Amino acid sequence: MTAAVRPDVAELLRAGWTNQRIAVHCHTARRKVAAARTALGIAPARPTLGAGSLETAFRTRVESLFCGHAVWTGPRNENGVPMVSWRNQRVSAYRVAFRSHYGREPQGVVLAVCGVPGCIAGRCLDDKAARDRTRGQLAAVLGLNHTSTHCREGHSYAEHAAYRPDGVRYCGRCDSDSNKTRKRGIAA
């Protein structure tokens, strides 16, 4: 072993880690890890695409906090959304946490509702369906539920009801149609 190779890097090289993974873990440049690999005469590591699972890749980047909350320590996209990289795909870490906790695919956008900044614990996440259900309950408590079963356009509230954060009900179908029309107008 040459004196230029850091002991922690050498240990991880011998353990079969990739250059990228070692560089991130040891806070060093990938080219330095590659040079250490060459100096030690260790063949390049070949990550297996089928190894592990999306949930395993997710769990390696989650740090548990107090009272069941957790924060993301991995990469984020340009909008600050935590992202999991697995099998050459990038997936929202919020969606992975939601699916892992609730055992179903989330509907719409997944958001943390606990108030802890950056929390990614599954129990603290809601999808659009859960938020609408909670907002509908708030509307009922506040007496905001109306007796009408359909919107002005004839869409059934049983199928298309959505709620603002203050509990006011609106037609999600009409809102979606309005957004599509507006986007077409901007694109034209």
Side-chain angles (χ1 to χ4, degrees):
M1 181 166 102
T2 179
V5 178
R6 289 176 34 184
D8 55 343
V9 171
E11 180 182 344
L12 296 175
L13 283 168
R14 289 186 185 99
W17 286 32
T18 64
N19 291 2
Q20 175 64 32
R21 188 172 173 205
I22 295 171
V24 169
H25 183 77
C26 295
H27 306 288
T28 188
R30 214 174 7 186
R31 63 180 168 71
K32 290 183 179 180
V33 176
R37 183 179 295 279
T38 302
L40 295 172
I42 298 173
R46 299 280 179 221
T48 56
L49 292 178
S53 67
L54 180 59
E55 286 74 21
T56 302
F58 166 77
R59 276 187 251 116
T60 61
R61 298 297 188 130
V62 175
E63 181 181 319
S64 295
L65 298 178
F66 58 94
C67 301
H69 298 284
V71 292
W72 181 248
T73 61
R76 296 175 180 270
N77 70 8
E78 59 279 354
N79 297 324
V81 176
M83 301 300 288
V84 179
S85 295
W86 184 70
R87 289 190 174 188
N88 296 325
Q89 295 179 22
R90 290 178 47 123
V91 181
S92 164
Y94 288 129
R95 295 184 76 78
V96 176
F98 184 93
R99 185 175 39 244
S100 178
H101 184 77
Y102 291 103
R104 67 173 178 86
E105 284 295 322
Q107 297 175 13
V109 177
V110 177
L111 300 172
V113 293
C114 63
V116 174
C119 186
I120 195 156
R123 69 179 188 85
C124 298
L125 302 175
D126 272 350
D127 63 349
K128 182 173 180 348
R131 287 191 301 277
D132 281 348
R133 189 171 43 256
T134 302
R135 291 171 180 175
Q137 292 167 347
L138 173 65
V141 168
L142 296 176
L144 297 175
N145 281 351
H146 305 286
T147 56
S148 61
T149 59
H150 292 76
C151 74
R152 288 179 287 169
E153 298 296 322
H155 303 126
S156 168
Y157 280 127
E159 185 179 349
H160 300 290
Y163 296 88
R164 294 190 327 216
D166 60 2
V168 174
R169 179 178 66 178
Y170 65 93
C171 177
R173 173 82 183 269
C174 290
D175 187 59
S176 177
D177 292 346
S178 173
N179 287 338
K180 288 176 186 173
T181 303
R182 189 176 15 187
K183 286 180 182 176
R184 267 188 259 133
I186 292 172

